[in-house]
Amino acid sequence: MTVMLSASQLADRLACDAEAVCRHYLSAGRRAGNYWIVGDVANNKGRSLYVHLSGPRKGRWTDAATSQYGDLLDLVRESCGLVDFRDVADEARRFLNEPQPRPVSFRRDDTLDSQPAERPAADRARRLFRTTEPLSGTLADSYLRQRGIRCASLHPALRFHPSCYYRDLASSKTSRYPALIAAVTDQAGEITGVHRTWLDPDGDGKARVDDPRRALGGLLGNAVRFRFPVDGLVPVMAAGEGLESMLSLSHVMPGMPVVSALTANHLAAFRPPAGCLRLYVAADADAAGRHGIEGLSRRAQALGILPLVLTPELGDFNEDLRRLGPDRLIANLRGQLAPEDAWALLPA
């Protein structure tokens, strides 16, 4: 009798032939040292997504632009546009010339979502955060002030690293830049990852590198949290993608607990806290943003939470804050919030 491979075994088998998998599903990319470099999971040209081709993380991949990550089964799913996990396994078996299984139900959360390979990355993220310093008066504080966010140093999730390690994924060359570091935490407040924004040492915005923003560690279901109460009781909150966009909302609504999930995919997977009654989902003006809004809205409704969408006038709320000013941003929000929230959270 033929033994069918489990999901984790399929992922391991794919990882053994990681370069062959990449050449098949990410043919627009190329090998660069110990990595396969390509634009994204849709196989567009570029250098944002990298797949480890050797070492203990062989077969693991990360998209530095979107902070997506996973194993090669995830890559097969995304590159082929598959939804049902059975179809993903079938495609992987086809690639590996494995026999097709009889129709059975198996759950992804018993296999891939455990992701033991991500634990070392979370440990590295926690170690990095311990080496940071308070934000106030630093280059990172100045960077956020230039973007209209003047009270960022009040958020303990934000810190500064004066010399944060950076590796160019195409050339493997390494360097160091000052960086804004944001802690990604779970519902218990434990740090599961960090988000790094490398900065120009002369204070001229972000560092002049190909991908000045990268995440490290476990983002799935977690987020960067601002203004969350110690007791964890959050009946009303806002969630969105970008760090600076959500900091802009927090700037004009200092009483609102706010989270940045960092990408549309991670926004869709965010886990709202227990006791939440209304969840404002901050929109970004792009297709990926709509995916995040729809995914989180469905998750909220399933939990009995009312999802309400907040829409910026321009591309995102930081652009609104910088180009239109805080008064215009507040006026726009006033027309979108529930009346009781507008009264409680916005200045008169």
Side-chain angles (χ1 to χ4, degrees):
M1 182 178 68
T2 303
V3 177
M4 298 302 174
L5 297 182
S6 69
S8 59
Q9 290 170 326
L10 281 171
D12 290 342
R13 282 284 305 275
L14 289 170
C16 289
D17 297 316
E19 184 170 350
V21 174
C22 292
R23 291 188 181 279
H24 181 79
Y25 293 102
L26 300 177
S27 57
R30 62 184 177 85
R31 180 161 187 156
N34 293 322
Y35 301 93
W36 188 266
I37 308 293
V38 71
D40 53 32
V41 291
N43 197 29
N44 291 307
K45 291 184 180 296
R47 299 195 300 175
S48 173
L49 188 147
Y50 57 98
V51 184
H52 294 262
L53 299 179
S54 63
R57 290 179 56 77
K58 184 177 181 180
R60 308 296 299 187
W61 60 272
T62 300
D63 189 328
T66 67
S67 296
Q68 288 176 278
Y69 62 88
D71 60 24
L72 291 178
L73 273 179
D74 296 305
L75 189 63
V76 170
R77 180 196 67 212
E78 296 291 340
S79 64
C80 295
L82 301 173
V83 176
D84 189 274
F85 190 60
R86 185 185 306 167
D87 295 335
V88 180
D90 287 347
E91 173 62 22
R93 291 187 179 95
R94 185 201 63 75
F95 179 83
L96 295 168
N97 293 318
E98 289 291 335
Q100 300 298 312
R102 289 172 296 181
V104 294
S105 171
F106 82 75
R107 303 183 308 158
R108 180 185 172 91
D109 56 347
D110 287 339
T111 53
L112 297 183
D113 280 353
S114 57
Q115 293 187 0
E118 290 304 316
R119 292 194 195 108
D123 291 341
R124 294 198 304 274
R126 286 188 281 269
R127 286 198 298 270
L128 175 60
F129 198 75
R130 287 196 294 268
T131 65
T132 59
E133 59 188 61
L135 191 72
S136 181
T138 66
L139 186 65
D141 191 13
S142 175
Y143 165 77
L144 291 173
R145 286 177 177 272
Q146 291 170 16
R147 302 189 69 83
I149 304 163
R150 305 190 181 281
C151 301
S153 61
L154 298 177
H155 299 297
L158 300 178
R159 304 275 290 184
F160 175 66
H161 198 296
S163 183
C164 187
Y165 175 82
Y166 176 85
R167 179 171 59 186
D168 184 277
L169 300 176
S171 67
S172 294
K173 292 181 179 179
T174 62
S175 52
R176 290 183 178 273
Y177 295 92
L180 168 65
I181 308 293
V184 177
T185 56
D186 60 17
Q187 291 193 28
E190 180 180 355
I191 294 176
T192 62
V194 293
H195 184 266
R196 299 154 293 177
T197 304
W198 282 278
L199 304 173
D200 182 86
D202 296 326
D204 189 20
K206 291 186 283 292
R208 294 179 177 87
V209 294
D210 284 341
D211 48 349
R213 301 178 189 269
R214 288 182 192 166
L216 172 68
L219 275 66
L220 193 66
N222 306 316
V224 183
R225 299 168 194 263
F226 307 115
R227 310 283 190 184
F228 264 61
V230 176
D231 60 14
L233 297 177
V234 186
V236 180
M237 63 169 292
E241 291 182 51
L243 196 67
E244 291 153 27
S245 182
M246 299 314 294
L247 279 169
S248 299
L249 284 182
S250 183
H251 179 72
V252 297
M253 293 190 293
M256 173 82 87
V258 169
V259 303
S260 165
L262 301 174
T263 73
N265 285 339
H266 290 103
L267 179 61
F270 174 69
R271 303 183 186 103
C276 183
L277 302 177
R278 288 188 299 282
L279 174 61
Y280 290 98
V281 187
D284 278 357
D286 55 29
R290 289 192 293 275
H291 160 72
I293 293 167
E294 292 167 0
L296 182 54
S297 295
R298 286 194 298 269
R299 179 183 290 267
Q301 289 174 333
L303 295 171
I305 301 169
L306 175 64
L308 300 166
V309 177
L310 297 178
T311 306
E313 293 189 63
L314 303 175
D316 60 42
F317 288 106
N318 186 245
E319 191 175 358
D320 281 9
L321 179 64
R322 289 184 292 112
R323 295 180 57 185
L324 305 179
D327 291 342
R328 177 82 167 265
L329 174 54
I330 290 169
N332 180 38
L333 292 171
R334 193 181 302 279
Q336 300 184 64
L337 295 173
E340 59 269 38
D341 295 332
W343 180 84
L345 298 169
L346 295 174

